[in-house]
Amino acid sequence: MIKFEDVMFDTDPLELAEELTTLDQALDITICTDEEAETGEEIYFGLPAEIGEIIEVRGTVKEAAETGDDEYEITVNVTAVDAELKNIAIDTLTGKTGDTGSGQPMWAKGIKQQNNTYAILANSPGGMLTAAQLEVIAKLSAAGAGAVKLTHAQRIVLLVKADQVENAVSELEATGLNIGVLHHGIRNVRACSGPLCRFNQQTDSITLAQEVADRLFGRTTAFDIKIALSDCMRNCSECYCADIGLIADKGTYKVVIGGRGSQVPFRALNLTSGIKPEEAADVIEKIVDWYMSTANDGERMHKLLLRLGSEDKVDLSQLQTEFDKYSDGVNEIDRLTDQFTRNNGLKKLKTALNL
């Protein structure tokens, strides 16, 4: 049973919704609160949703138990929710979103934007879309905000109204477009132009991106995992800024790991090389499995390498004066120390994976 913390309720409607709609099948949830309730009492409360809205919910108290001083756990039989946000409410109440501790990734659907539209991020492994997918995207966009956004990670951002989110998700998925994740999962697998490009190194990053996506889509991870594939050393997919990157050279792949963009970037480190194209998906999955078994919650790959390598200390403080002459505000000693530390962590990864 899904449990929601720190819930405040009332015995009168909250008037957050213009209309409440009765659920086809009532749902039981547990709420934790500092308010006492009586069995059989009808209550109303606000349910925070990932789209940024508070959804009004009506339910009947089935059981109330005191768990501490002015602390109660109440089993509620939910009977009605905001009519406009019914499907989103059901997803939240049944643990299909990332906010309830259900062990699921945080899915990138129905994210409220500054212009009061709601964003859906659709994956396109390798950055490839079919004519049929583009047709559906155009239709949904016309009914919504009239525009879509492309991200650096080769994802489509569709902007719709709140009551269009669930239908849009269904129509996108019917064309083979999976909804991506915001956090705690595998991001869209990026790829360069692959065999379409004259610099290709007898590899096919587009096909590999689809294979990796098929294997790993939907997995829950400690935090985000970004995967990028480039079919030559020009590295158009920016593999050195990804958690896992593969760069082709003369028919095989070099594997780099632990990269990050953001305000203070980290360049990925070389893990291994000479990986044949037919071995590449297995190597990526092996790294992901290791990460899932080793990382702490909320720990990106570069932070995991830092933690593993932190046992072997290095002191570079004697270089501080020279770095200060050219610093742009970033502490270069800290960055260089982190680079040494990540290298130490990388050695442990190579041993663990026998690479």
Side-chain angles (χ1 to χ4, degrees), residues 108 162 297 302 313:
D297 186 52
H302 73 283
K313 301 295 183 182

Side-chain angles (χ1 to χ4, degrees), residues 230-233 235 239-240 245-249 252-256:
S230 289
D231 273 344
C232 81
M233 296 302 289
N235 188 25
C239 297
Y240 285 109
L246 268 65
I247 304 170
D249 183 24
T252 64
Y253 283 108
K254 174 174 69 172
V255 182
V256 298

Side-chain angles (χ1 to χ4, degrees), residues 241-316:
C241 291
D243 296 282
I244 303 170
L246 268 65
I247 304 170
D249 183 24
K250 299 178 182 178
T252 64
Y253 283 108
K254 174 174 69 172
V255 182
V256 298
I257 189 170
R260 185 186 77 168
S262 192
Q263 183 177 0
V264 180
F266 285 98
R267 188 178 189 273
L269 304 172
N270 292 338
L271 176 64
T272 190
S273 59
I275 300 299
K276 298 177 182 177
E278 61 270 24
E279 302 169 336
D282 288 337
V283 170
I284 292 173
E285 187 169 17
K286 191 175 183 181
I287 295 170
V288 170
D289 288 342
W290 170 83
Y291 169 80
M292 291 168 66
S293 66
T294 311
N296 294 328
D297 186 52
E299 188 174 50
R300 282 281 297 277
M301 188 75 75
H302 73 283
K303 289 186 177 180
L304 172 57
L305 294 179
L306 281 171
R307 176 167 62 84
L308 294 180
S310 62
E311 296 174 1
D312 304 313
K313 301 295 183 182
V314 59
D315 182 7
L316 302 174

Side-chain angles (χ1 to χ4, degrees), residues 125 186-190 204-219 225-229 244 246 277 279-285 288:
I186 310 293
R187 293 287 191 93
N188 189 48
V189 183
R190 302 198 310 263
D204 184 352
S205 65
I206 295 174
T207 299
L208 178 58
Q210 185 61 65
E211 180 183 354
V212 173
D214 288 343
R215 287 196 189 195
L216 300 180
F217 175 75
R219 289 199 188 182
I225 295 183
K226 299 178 181 180
I227 301 170
L229 312 172
I244 303 170
L246 268 65
E279 302 169 336
D282 288 337
V283 170
I284 292 173
E285 187 169 17
V288 170

Side-chain angles (χ1 to χ4, degrees), residues 94-110:
T94 55
K96 293 181 180 178
T97 68
D99 282 344
T100 60
S102 61
Q104 290 287 318
M106 184 180 289
W107 298 107
K109 64 176 184 178

